[in-house]
Amino acid sequence: DIQLTQSPSFLSASVGDRVTITCRASQGISSYLAWFQQKPGKAPKLLICAASTLQSGVPSRFSGSGSGTEFTLTISSLQPEDFATYYCQHFNNYPLTFGGGTKVEIK
Amino acid sequence: EVQLVESGGGLVQPGGSLRLSCAASGITISGHYMDWVRQAPGKGLEWVGRSRDKAHSYTTEYAASVKDRFTLSRDDSKNSLYLQMNRLKTEDTAVYYCATTYFHSDIYWPDQWGQGTLVTVSS
């Protein structure tokens, strides 16, 4: 099974900060990676698929990059509504595992 | 507008069974791959299983942790997806989400999610 390791697991940042979250795969997964945002008590929300394709309606301050084994989610200027937990998930083969999550909190 | 509504969660004893439902509106799920994902209290997301679309004969994939205990099925007449959970364990306690997918760049991506239903396995 492919393991996804997210770092950091916890991040404290201020409004306006540039934030980068990394997701590393235990083997190459091409660009078969998605990023989700989850707020407490809510379902996950798909932000980015295929490593870098922004979903409709997602603000352009979110961007994704990478391929193979290393991927990043960047928020160019953190907004109050972005404080949440972020997960990566691969779609290279089954099982479709998630990373452990990165909680972004207010500094 | 696509809406997915999960139901069927509740309290069940270890070794028991439960069937979760995911009723869809605004979309005909026979044409979509569908996923179940769960989240134990205070923990991260765990993929549970996937049901392919009608064109792919509704074949299924499961996480190792649930394989041979959980079964995915559908009812086209009710536009619904089901997760039959047998031989439940305390570690199956979680909120269970269903999601429908869309096809892009060779992959089916889960883009619409329900609100989740809580399953508690405890004696």
Side-chain angles (χ1 to χ4, degrees):
Chain A
D1 297 0
I2 294 171
Q3 313 300 320
L4 296 180
T5 303
Q6 281 186 241
S7 60
S9 55
F10 176 86
L11 189 160
S12 182
S14 301
V15 172
D17 282 354
R18 181 182 181 87
V19 164
T20 299
I21 298 168
T22 297
C23 179
R24 288 188 175 88
S26 59
Q27 63 189 78
I29 58 170
S30 186
S31 296
Y32 300 144
L33 187 101
W35 289 98
F36 297 88
Q37 176 193 68
Q38 188 182 33
K39 297 182 179 179
K42 299 295 186 183
K45 175 185 175 181
L46 179 65
L47 298 177
I48 288 169
C49 71
S52 60
T53 300
L54 198 66
Q55 294 302 287
S56 174
V58 175
S60 58
R61 61 180 179 273
F62 290 92
S63 64
S65 64
S67 67
T69 61
E70 186 147 338
F71 302 84
T72 59
L73 172 69
T74 299
I75 309 172
S76 60
S77 177
L78 201 63
Q79 297 303 300
E81 59 268 31
D82 301 337
F83 292 94
T85 301
Y86 294 85
Y87 295 91
C88 56
Q89 184 187 16
H90 85 83
F91 291 82
N92 187 72
N93 55 9
Y94 296 100
L96 309 179
T97 51
F98 284 91
T102 297
K103 187 172 185 180
V104 178
E105 289 202 342
I106 301 173
K107 197 173 204 175
Chain B
E1 181 195 1
V2 174
Q3 211 171 16
L4 301 174
V5 178
E6 301 95 335
S7 60
L11 176 63
V12 60
Q13 291 189 337
S17 297
L18 212 55
R19 190 178 84 150
L20 304 184
S21 301
C22 172
S25 58
I27 191 172
T28 302
I29 66 167
S30 60
H32 293 263
Y33 284 33
M34 301 287 292
D35 287 348
W36 283 97
V37 171
R38 68 184 181 183
Q39 186 168 37
K43 302 296 184 183
L45 300 172
E46 180 186 14
W47 176 78
V48 172
R50 170 167 279 191
S51 169
R52 294 182 181 86
D53 60 7
K54 190 172 185 178
H56 293 90
S57 305
Y58 295 142
T59 53
T60 54
E61 303 287 346
Y62 298 95
S65 58
V66 306
K67 194 170 183 179
D68 299 328
R69 298 189 300 123
F70 290 11
T71 303
L72 284 161
S73 63
R74 300 190 188 215
D75 185 336
D76 285 353
S77 68
K78 295 182 178 178
N79 204 30
S80 293
L81 173 74
Y82 304 100
L83 181 66
Q84 177 67 43
M85 304 186 295
N86 298 331
R87 304 199 308 276
L88 282 160
K89 306 175 181 180
T90 55
E91 52 263 41
D92 295 319
T93 294
V95 174
Y96 285 72
Y97 297 100
C98 69
T100 186
T101 64
Y102 86 107
F103 186 71
H104 169 73
S105 294
D106 298 330
I107 299 295
Y108 292 86
W109 308 94
D111 66 326
Q112 303 287 339
W113 294 65
Q115 84 291 347
T117 187
L118 176 63
V119 172
T120 303
V121 184
S122 174
S123 55

